[in-house]
Amino acid sequence: ALKMRLTRFFSAPTHNSKASYFDTSLSSRIGDRSDYQRANKAKLNREKGDLIRITREIKDKARLGDMREIFNIIERSKSRGIKLDAIAYTSAINAASRKGNWRAAQTLVELLKSDGISLDAYIYSALMSALTRGGQWLMAVSLLKEMKENDCDPDIIVYTSAIDACAKGLQWEKALEILEEMKQKKMSPDVRVINSVLSALAQSGEWELCLPMLEEARKLSNDPKQLLFAANTAIAACSQVGELKTAKRLFDEIKNGEIYGKAGPDIVTYNTLLDAYSKAGEIDLARKVLEEMKNSEASAGKKQILPDLVSYNSVLSAFAASKDISGALEVLAEMERVNVRPDTISFNAVMHVCARKGNFEIARRIFKMMA
């Protein structure tokens, strides 16, 4: 019995063998955790690599403007459980913006939100640009309001896009409102923004409001092209409502080179003044401008400005409105002599005056000339 007890005692595990057992178990657990960390790190690296590759693919397709393929890439990514980041989505929205595809831009924003990404200034700016190019002024104004409600301060680019959207939609009152808000935030508008608002005012016949905007353009820029555009737009506004005196004053200021630089009037300036006189039925004044154009000479830094199709059509319209057949036929003959090919508008103006005077024979001959 003693022998058996001694055998069991000496064969039992010692303290050192117990420690060895626990050491082995702990090492095994540490090894398992390290394997898990390595596997998790490898997974994250793969996901990061996939995201970089997909973002590069989207950017490549964005440069080509291939929106269909961009959406295909996003769909494939989602099916694989890969979430895109703000950079990838912004590249896609910018591509939609360049195409003027505001619907695609909005869809991308919804996808972005579904991936848990918050809209930042870059995304708002890209979406605003898409809405502007797509002519969606009302949605642009709503987006501007949303930005302010979400404590995302619009920058000068966003404000400029919103103003441009309203101007394109002829919403000049809203455009002026946003422009004033922009100034209150100590942001200085670019002369192109002023010209955008000027265009909306001109098309709406708001010639009186054009004058202070024109003055503001002069303060903002010394660029003769931008200033000439602004002045031409103001003359066009005067033309809309028959404000001939102001139109002629602006024309003379451009011609004298005292305010808008030494470049002088261009073909648009002359044609806009011609349009104003023609609409008002001032044939003599219109013919005087036409003669001035024909007698103009090239000088240092200035090109010779000869009447073009638009010029002659304006004068023809004036003759047609006054039922002056001989004057209209004279202008049509002159166009042939100086190799300015009449178009449908030209022939229709002459035929219209002939029909109104009951001279159907000449009208028939003009109709045959159109063939």
Side-chain angles (χ1 to χ4, degrees):
L2 178 62
K3 185 177 180 181
M4 289 177 64
R5 284 198 297 271
L6 289 172
T7 301
R8 282 199 302 270
F9 175 79
F10 285 109
S11 63
T14 64
H15 174 75
N16 288 338
S17 63
K18 285 183 179 181
S20 176
Y21 168 78
F22 287 120
D23 287 344
T24 302
S25 177
L26 181 61
S27 297
S28 175
R29 291 182 182 180
I30 292 173
D32 290 343
R33 183 175 297 174
S34 297
D35 290 342
Y36 170 78
Q37 290 174 341
R38 281 194 296 271
N40 190 50
K41 186 176 181 180
K43 180 185 176 184
L44 292 174
N45 286 335
R46 282 196 305 272
E47 290 177 351
K48 184 178 179 180
D50 287 340
L51 181 58
I52 291 172
R53 178 181 55 77
I54 291 166
T55 302
R56 189 183 300 119
E57 288 178 7
I58 289 175
K59 286 183 175 181
D60 289 341
K61 298 302 178 183
R63 279 191 286 270
L64 298 173
D66 191 347
M67 294 307 304
R68 183 185 297 275
E69 187 55 33
I70 286 174
F71 277 108
N72 287 338
I73 293 170
I74 293 173
E75 186 177 351
R76 288 196 297 269
S77 301
K78 283 184 171 293
S79 66
R80 293 172 55 193
I82 300 172
K83 285 189 176 182
L84 303 183
D85 59 9
I87 296 173
Y89 275 115
T90 303
S91 297
I93 296 169
N94 278 326
S97 172
R98 286 191 293 271
K99 300 282 284 186
N101 193 340
W102 60 272
R103 288 188 177 86
Q106 278 200 316
T107 301
L108 288 164
V109 169
E110 293 304 317
L111 290 172
L112 175 150
K113 289 178 179 177
S114 70
D115 279 348
I117 301 172
S118 299
L119 273 67
D120 59 16
Y122 294 105
I123 296 169
Y124 273 121
S125 182
L127 180 56
M128 181 67 81
S129 178
L131 294 173
T132 299
R133 291 180 179 178
Q136 301 300 310
W137 71 269
L138 190 58
M139 296 174 76
V141 171
S142 297
L143 185 66
L144 187 65
K145 182 181 178 182
E146 181 185 319
M147 286 186 71
K148 290 182 282 188
E149 289 174 348
N150 292 339
D151 294 326
C152 184
D153 290 333
D155 59 13
I156 192 168
I157 296 173
V158 171
Y159 271 115
T160 298
S161 293
I163 292 170
D164 195 34
C166 292
K168 287 179 178 177
L170 301 185
Q171 303 299 314
W172 57 269
E173 290 174 304
K174 180 58 71 173
L176 287 174
E177 180 185 317
I178 298 172
L179 181 62
E180 186 58 33
E181 181 183 322
M182 184 178 173
K183 292 176 184 176
Q184 288 176 1
K185 290 182 176 290
K186 307 300 181 184
M187 296 180 185
S188 180
D190 187 89
V191 68
R192 287 183 288 270
V193 178
I194 302 301
N195 282 342
S196 181
V197 178
L198 263 171
S199 295
L201 291 169
Q203 291 179 68
S204 303
E206 299 291 337
W207 70 273
E208 289 177 298
L209 292 175
C210 284
L211 300 181
M213 295 298 293
L214 181 58
E215 185 65 26
E216 189 166 350
R218 287 171 50 195
K219 292 178 181 177
L220 287 172
S221 176
N222 292 320
D223 184 344
K225 289 184 178 180
Q226 291 292 339
L227 292 177
L228 183 58
F229 177 88
N232 286 344
T233 304
I235 295 174
C238 295
S239 173
Q240 286 272 66
V241 295
E243 180 55 38
L244 303 183
K245 185 178 179 180
T246 305
K248 183 62 167 62
R249 176 176 64 79
L250 292 171
F251 176 84
D252 289 339
E253 288 177 357
I254 297 169
K255 190 176 177 182
N256 294 335
E258 296 174 356
I259 299 177
Y260 304 104
K262 298 180 179 180
D266 59 6
I267 187 67
V268 176
T269 315
Y270 276 105
N271 283 344
T272 307
L273 185 62
L274 268 174
D275 182 63
Y277 287 150
S278 298
K279 284 179 178 176
E282 296 288 348
I283 297 177
D284 291 339
L285 292 174
R287 293 186 73 168
K288 186 177 179 182
V289 173
L290 196 66
E291 288 300 316
E292 183 179 327
M293 294 174 73
K294 290 189 287 185
N295 295 327
S296 67
E297 296 181 357
S299 59
K302 296 182 181 180
K303 295 180 180 179
Q304 184 180 17
I305 300 172
L306 295 174
D308 61 5
L309 180 61
V310 176
S311 313
Y312 282 111
N313 279 348
S314 290
V315 180
L316 278 172
S317 297
F319 279 121
S322 63
K323 302 179 184 179
D324 188 340
I325 294 179
S326 61
L329 291 173
E330 183 183 326
V331 172
L332 192 63
E334 183 180 321
M335 292 174 71
E336 295 286 351
R337 285 198 305 271
V338 297
N339 294 321
V340 176
R341 185 181 179 85
D343 64 357
T344 304
I345 296 173
S346 315
F347 290 123
N348 282 344
V350 180
M351 286 191 294
H352 178 69
V353 68
C354 290
R356 289 179 68 185
K357 295 290 285 187
N359 200 327
F360 299 107
E361 182 59 33
I362 295 178
R364 276 192 291 269
R365 289 209 306 265
I366 297 298
F367 182 76
K368 289 179 181 179
M369 292 172 62
M370 295 176 65

